[in-house]
Coordinates of all heavy atoms in Angstrom, one line a residue:
D113 N 80.2 43.2 1.5 CA 80.3 44.6 1.6 C 79.1 45.2 2.3 O 79.2 46.3 3.0 CB 80.4 45.2 0.2 CG 81.8 45.0 -0.4 OD1 82.7 44.7 0.3 OD2 81.9 45.1 -1.7
N114 N 77.9 44.5 2.2 CA 76.7 45.0 2.8 C 76.5 44.5 4.2 O 75.5 44.8 4.9 CB 75.5 44.7 1.9 CG 75.5 45.4 0.6 OD1 75.9 46.6 0.6 ND2 75.2 44.8 -0.5
M115 N 77.4 43.6 4.6 CA 77.2 43.0 6.0 C 77.7 44.0 7.0 O 78.8 44.4 7.1 CB 78.0 41.7 6.1 CG 77.8 41.0 7.4 SD 79.1 39.6 7.5 CE 78.6 38.5 6.2
G116 N 76.7 44.5 7.8 CA 77.1 45.5 8.8 C 77.4 44.8 10.2 O 77.0 43.7 10.5
V117 N 78.3 45.5 10.9 CA 78.7 45.0 12.2 C 77.4 44.8 13.1 O 77.3 43.7 13.8 CB 79.6 46.0 12.9 CG1 80.0 45.4 14.3 CG2 80.9 46.2 12.1
E118 N 76.5 45.7 13.1 CA 75.4 45.7 14.0 C 74.4 44.6 13.6 O 73.6 44.2 14.4 CB 74.6 47.0 14.0 CG 75.4 48.2 14.4 CD 76.3 48.7 13.3 OE1 76.2 48.3 12.1 OE2 77.1 49.6 13.6
E119 N 74.5 44.0 12.4 CA 73.6 42.9 12.0 C 73.7 41.7 12.9 O 72.7 41.0 13.1 CB 73.9 42.6 10.5 CG 72.9 41.6 9.9 CD 73.1 41.4 8.4 OE1 74.1 42.0 7.9 OE2 72.4 40.6 7.9
F120 N 74.9 41.4 13.3 CA 75.2 40.2 14.1 C 75.8 40.5 15.5 O 75.7 39.7 16.4 CB 76.1 39.2 13.4 CG 75.5 38.8 12.1 CD1 76.0 39.3 10.9 CD2 74.5 37.9 12.0 CE1 75.4 38.9 9.6 CE2 73.9 37.5 10.8 CZ 74.4 38.0 9.6
I121 N 76.5 41.6 15.6 CA 77.2 41.9 16.8 C 76.4 43.0 17.6 O 76.5 44.2 17.1 CB 78.7 42.3 16.6 CG1 79.4 41.2 15.8 CG2 79.4 42.7 17.9 CD1 80.7 41.6 15.3
K122 N 75.7 42.7 18.6 CA 74.8 43.6 19.2 C 75.4 44.3 20.4 O 74.8 45.3 20.9 CB 73.5 42.8 19.7 CG 72.8 42.0 18.7 CD 72.3 42.8 17.6 CE 71.5 41.9 16.6 NZ 70.9 42.7 15.4
D123 N 76.6 43.9 20.9 CA 77.1 44.5 22.1 C 78.0 45.7 21.9 O 78.6 46.3 22.8 CB 77.9 43.4 22.9 CG 79.0 42.8 22.2 OD1 79.3 43.3 21.0 OD2 79.7 41.9 22.7
G124 N 78.2 46.1 20.6 CA 79.0 47.2 20.3 C 80.5 47.0 20.3 O 81.2 48.0 20.2
S125 N 80.9 45.8 20.5 CA 82.3 45.5 20.7 C 83.0 45.5 19.3 O 84.3 45.7 19.2 CB 82.6 44.2 21.4 OG 82.1 43.1 20.6
G126 N 82.3 45.2 18.2 CA 82.9 45.1 16.9 C 83.6 43.8 16.7 O 84.4 43.7 15.8
K127 N 83.4 42.8 17.6 CA 84.1 41.5 17.5 C 83.0 40.4 17.5 O 82.0 40.4 18.2 CB 85.0 41.4 18.8 CG 86.2 42.3 18.8 CD 87.1 42.0 19.9 CE 88.3 43.0 19.9 NZ 89.3 42.7 21.0
W128 N 83.4 39.4 16.7 CA 82.5 38.2 16.6 C 82.7 37.4 17.8 O 83.8 37.1 18.3 CB 83.0 37.4 15.4 CG 82.8 37.9 14.0 CD1 83.7 38.5 13.2 CD2 81.5 37.9 13.3 NE1 83.2 38.9 12.0 CE2 81.8 38.5 12.0 CE3 80.3 37.4 13.5 CZ2 80.9 38.7 11.0 CZ3 79.3 37.6 12.5 CH2 79.6 38.2 11.3
S129 N 81.5 36.9 18.3 CA 81.5 35.7 19.2 C 81.2 34.5 18.3 O 80.7 34.7 17.2 CB 80.5 35.9 20.3 OG 79.2 35.9 19.7
F130 N 81.4 33.3 18.8 CA 81.1 32.1 18.0 C 79.6 32.0 17.8 O 79.2 31.6 16.7 CB 81.6 30.9 18.7 CG 81.4 29.6 17.9 CD1 82.1 29.4 16.7 CD2 80.5 28.7 18.3 CE1 81.8 28.3 15.9 CE2 80.2 27.5 17.6 CZ 80.9 27.3 16.4
K131 N 78.8 32.4 18.7 CA 77.4 32.4 18.6 C 77.0 33.3 17.4 O 76.1 32.9 16.6 CB 76.7 32.8 19.9 CG 75.2 32.7 19.8 CD 74.6 33.1 21.2 CE 73.1 33.0 21.2 NZ 72.5 33.3 22.5
A132 N 77.5 34.5 17.4 CA 77.2 35.5 16.3 C 77.7 35.0 15.0 O 77.0 35.1 13.9 CB 77.8 36.8 16.6
F133 N 78.9 34.3 14.9 CA 79.4 33.8 13.7 C 78.6 32.6 13.2 O 78.3 32.5 12.0 CB 80.8 33.3 14.0 CG 81.6 32.8 12.8 CD1 81.9 33.6 11.7 CD2 82.0 31.4 12.7 CE1 82.5 33.1 10.6 CE2 82.6 30.9 11.6 CZ 82.9 31.8 10.6
T134 N 78.0 31.8 14.1 CA 77.1 30.7 13.7 C 75.8 31.3 13.1 O 75.3 30.8 12.1 CB 76.8 29.9 14.9 OG1 78.0 29.4 15.5 CG2 75.9 28.7 14.5
K135 N 75.3 32.4 13.7 CA 74.1 33.0 13.1 C 74.3 33.5 11.7 O 73.5 33.4 10.8 CB 73.6 34.1 14.0 CG 72.9 33.7 15.3 CD 72.5 34.9 16.1 CE 71.8 34.5 17.4 NZ 71.3 35.6 18.2
M136 N 75.5 34.1 11.5 CA 75.9 34.6 10.2 C 75.9 33.5 9.2 O 75.4 33.6 8.1 CB 77.3 35.3 10.3 CG 77.8 35.9 9.0 SD 78.5 34.7 7.8 CE 79.8 34.0 8.8
H137 N 76.5 32.3 9.6 CA 76.6 31.2 8.7 C 75.2 30.7 8.3 O 75.0 30.4 7.1 CB 77.3 30.1 9.4 CG 77.2 28.8 8.6 ND1 77.8 28.6 7.3 CD2 76.6 27.6 8.9 CE1 77.5 27.4 6.9 NE2 76.8 26.8 7.8
F138 N 74.2 30.7 9.2 CA 72.9 30.2 8.8 C 72.2 31.2 7.9 O 71.3 30.8 7.1 CB 72.1 29.9 10.1 CG 72.4 28.6 10.7 CD1 73.1 28.5 11.9 CD2 72.2 27.4 10.1 CE1 73.5 27.3 12.5 CE2 72.5 26.2 10.6 CZ 73.1 26.1 11.9

Side-chain angles (χ1 to χ4, degrees):
D113 289 343
N114 293 320
M115 186 190 293
V117 180
E118 299 79 10
E119 188 176 358
F120 300 104
I121 303 170
K122 308 294 184 182
D123 59 4
S125 66
K127 293 185 177 182
W128 291 100
S129 65
F130 182 68
K131 184 177 180 180
F133 183 64
T134 303
K135 284 183 179 178
M136 181 281 301
H137 169 68
F138 281 111

